[in-house]
């Protein structure tokens, strides 16, 4: 059998990771490159003229125009962290390379930190990945589907009636050869026309050609100028329809990931963050070597978020 080029690509080996990000200095340099690729830029006045002040831990960049002092992590979701940057980068690496996802518990063992610390770090990184994904829209040919995800709790109702099941919409874009390129998977408030119209306006470019099953709410993608075609299954199981091959594979892999690595995950509370992280990895699967840098990039773009805000349940539109 032919080997799948994506699955068999060389990732970043642990040895390479150590060589690239094994010290605090290397991590600072990687963050500087991610945050200020053309050199330090003052966050207050945008000047590039600066001097360096060496502090106890991280060096400070002092703007020569407005005297503002900044570190490479100030103003990002890493702000005020007490953990070594090498621990953060190891987390970027482990989260980025884990094909079926990694749990906070597993992360805590690999990083040598307690569970609460690992949870916080994991959720901050997933939030950054998810926000990065929000800045893109899908375009071209799209397969779309609806699903309920998440586990039941002991004593709860099973199946669709379960109070922990989260309604989600998944879409995947295909290239001209019919191969999957990018995906978007997010929770929605329900499968209503309003929710789907809002979803489409946030995640699809006008002009997409959307294929879905006969669920009525998918017609709402036309409100933002997308074409829509519904394939009615006529007694066949939607899973058996070749038209939906890629979206079915995507959803099936996602379910494996959730049940395998994240059995303790509070999916109904943090679905958006988790799914955003999942899409982030999927959408960059062609270049596993770059994944750690890409996550560092996303983290640098994400604003600080206190723990209490991270622990509040997300609200979906
Ligand atoms: Zn300045």
């Amino acid at each position: 059998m032919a080997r799948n080029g994506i699955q068999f690509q060389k990732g970043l080996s642990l040895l390479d990771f150590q060589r690239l990000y094994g010290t605090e200095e290397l991590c600072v340099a990687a963050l500087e490159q991610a945050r200020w690729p053309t050199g330090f830029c003052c966050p207050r006045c945008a000047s590039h003229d600066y001097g360096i002040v060496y502090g106890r831990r991280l060096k400070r960049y002092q703007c020569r125009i407005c005297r503002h002092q900044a570190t490479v992590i100030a103003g990002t979701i890493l702000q005020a962290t007490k953990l070594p940057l090498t621990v953060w980068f190891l987390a970027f690496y482990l989260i980025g390379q884990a094909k079926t996802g990694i749990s906070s518990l597993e992360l805590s063992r690999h990083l040598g930190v307690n569970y609460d610390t690992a949870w916080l770090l994991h959720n901050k990184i997933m939030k950054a990945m998810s926000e990065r994904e929000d800045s893109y829209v899908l375009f071209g040919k799209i397969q779309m589907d609806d699903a309920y995800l998440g586990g039941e709790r002991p004593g709860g109702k099973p199946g669709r009636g379960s109070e922990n099941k989260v309604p989600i919409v998944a879409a995947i874009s295909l290239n001209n050869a019919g191969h999957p390129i990018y995906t978007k998977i997010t929770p929605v408030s329900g499968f209503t026309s309003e929710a789907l119209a809002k979803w489409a306006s946030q995640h699809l470019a006008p002009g997409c050609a959307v294929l879905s099953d006969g669920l009525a709410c998918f017609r709402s993608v036309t409100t933002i100028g997308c074409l829509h075609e519904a394939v009615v299954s006529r007694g066949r199981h939607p899973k058996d329809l070749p038209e939906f091959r890629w979206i079915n594979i995507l959803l099936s892999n996602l379910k494996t990931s959730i049940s395998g690595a994240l059995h303790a995950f509070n999916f109904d509370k943090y679905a958006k963050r988790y799914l955003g992280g999942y899409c982030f990895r999927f959408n960059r699967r062609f270049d596993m070597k770059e994944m750690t840098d890409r996550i560092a990039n996303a983290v640098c773009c994400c604003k600080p978020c206190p723990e209490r805000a991270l622990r509040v349940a997300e609200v979906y539109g």
Side-chain angles (χ1 to χ4, degrees), residues 22 77 79 181 190 226 251 269:
I77 200 155
Q79 181 169 293
I181 306 296
C226 291
L251 284 171
K269 214 170 160 188

Side-chain angles (χ1 to χ4, degrees), residues 284-303:
R284 290 156 188 79
R285 69 198 178 284
F286 297 112
D287 200 350
M288 295 294 288
K289 276 196 166 157
E290 293 294 318
M291 194 72 86
T292 307
D293 265 346
R294 302 277 190 96
I295 295 177
N297 238 310
V299 160
C300 285
C301 295
C302 188
K303 297 267 173 289

Side-chain angles (χ1 to χ4, degrees), residues 31 34-36 40-44 58-61 68-81 85 124 127-128 131 296-306:
L31 286 178
R35 197 165 175 201
W36 302 309
F40 172 75
C41 177
C42 174
R44 191 180 286 170
L58 288 169
K59 62 183 176 190
R60 294 180 170 276
Y61 308 77
H68 178 70
Q69 283 194 358
T71 66
V72 74
I73 60 171
T76 76
I77 200 155
L78 301 180
Q79 181 169 293
T81 181
L85 293 176
K124 283 187 174 187
K127 180 179 165 57
E131 282 188 11
N297 238 310
V299 160
C300 285
C301 295
C302 188
K303 297 267 173 289
C305 180

